Amino acid sequence: MGRPPEHSDKEILQLFIEAGEPVLFTVEVAESLDKTQQSAYSRLEKLEGMGYVGSKATSKHSSRVWWITHAGRMFATED
């Protein structure tokens, strides 16, 4: 079954709110969480499937950028 995640979905979404940037690269999320890029990517894919973040592949640097959606902001800030 695997270990439970060390960071909640809300904690990850808060990174986007607190970043002050419109998008984050996978590596930025990984560094903030002290995780590998693959681990961060997997969590971000899960959040994207839930509609909380969006993403787009960039041809520059063969990377992906991520942004928080309105639904993600609502979820991250609810009590």
Side-chain angles (χ1 to χ4, degrees):
M1 228 165 80
R3 297 183 308 167
E6 294 178 28
H7 301 279
S8 71
D9 293 342
K10 286 186 178 187
E11 288 174 315
I12 295 171
L13 294 170
Q14 282 295 325
L15 293 174
F16 289 88
I17 294 170
E18 296 169 2
E21 300 288 336
V23 297
L24 294 175
F25 287 94
T26 307
V27 66
E28 294 173 303
V29 175
E31 288 171 356
S32 293
L33 299 175
D34 196 26
K35 293 290 183 190
T36 65
Q37 287 187 49
Q38 182 57 45
S39 175
Y41 188 90
S42 294
R43 288 296 300 278
L44 290 166
E45 278 189 314
K46 175 187 170 240
L47 291 171
E48 186 172 37
M50 297 166 73
Y52 295 154
V53 299
S55 73
K56 181 177 181 177
T58 64
S59 56
K60 193 175 187 180
H61 309 308
S62 300
S63 191
R64 184 167 286 275
V65 292
W66 304 86
W67 58 88
I68 191 168
T69 64
H70 178 70
R73 279 187 190 281
M74 297 298 291
F75 176 73
T77 58
E78 72 184 12
D79 292 334

